[in-house]
Amino acid sequence: AAAAARASPVSPDVAVGGGPSPYVHTLESIPAKEGDLMMMTYATGGVREMLHNWVLHVERLGLPVLVSAMDKDAVALATEKKFHCLDWSHTAAAEDTSYVRGSE
């Protein structure tokens, strides 16, 4: 119950999910309706700690969060920490290991 209370708020009349978890979305299943305001950022798993900190900060402000997850690590973090993400890991950026990533 505590995790559900901490999860990003979404419009109650919007279906969520569409991916492997209720927090992973496609363009068709973004948890918002037209006109909704969302705080959004793009991230890879290479900035895992900074991304999680940003999500926690925005959630404390009571604002809805959507992260465009540029690789599978960012998608996994969204599922693990229960925040909404747009699975963008299939883009060219996900395959380009020189794209803004942390040390591997």
Side-chain angles (χ1 to χ4, degrees):
R6 193 185 69 70
S8 300
V10 296
S11 298
D13 57 342
V14 177
V16 296
S21 93
Y23 298 100
V24 180
H25 304 279
T26 64
L27 283 174
E28 293 77 27
S29 71
I30 291 174
K33 60 184 192 275
E34 188 173 336
D36 282 356
L37 173 69
M38 298 192 85
M39 297 297 292
M40 185 173 178
T41 191
Y42 292 80
T44 66
V47 294
R48 176 183 182 91
E49 293 84 9
M50 184 171 57
L51 173 60
H52 186 221
N53 184 55
W54 180 84
V55 167
L56 290 173
H57 177 75
V58 174
E59 287 176 341
R60 279 187 207 116
L61 295 173
L63 300 171
V65 171
L66 182 66
V67 172
S68 184
M70 301 303 286
D71 62 15
K72 293 296 181 188
D73 292 339
V75 172
L77 181 65
T79 299
E80 174 190 339
K81 301 297 184 183
K82 297 179 173 50
F83 60 84
H84 294 284
C85 79
L86 174 61
D87 185 353
W88 216 242
S89 62
H90 62 280
T91 65
E95 308 219 352
D96 179 2
T97 57
S98 67
Y99 182 80
V100 185
R101 297 183 62 96
S103 303
E104 293 186 21

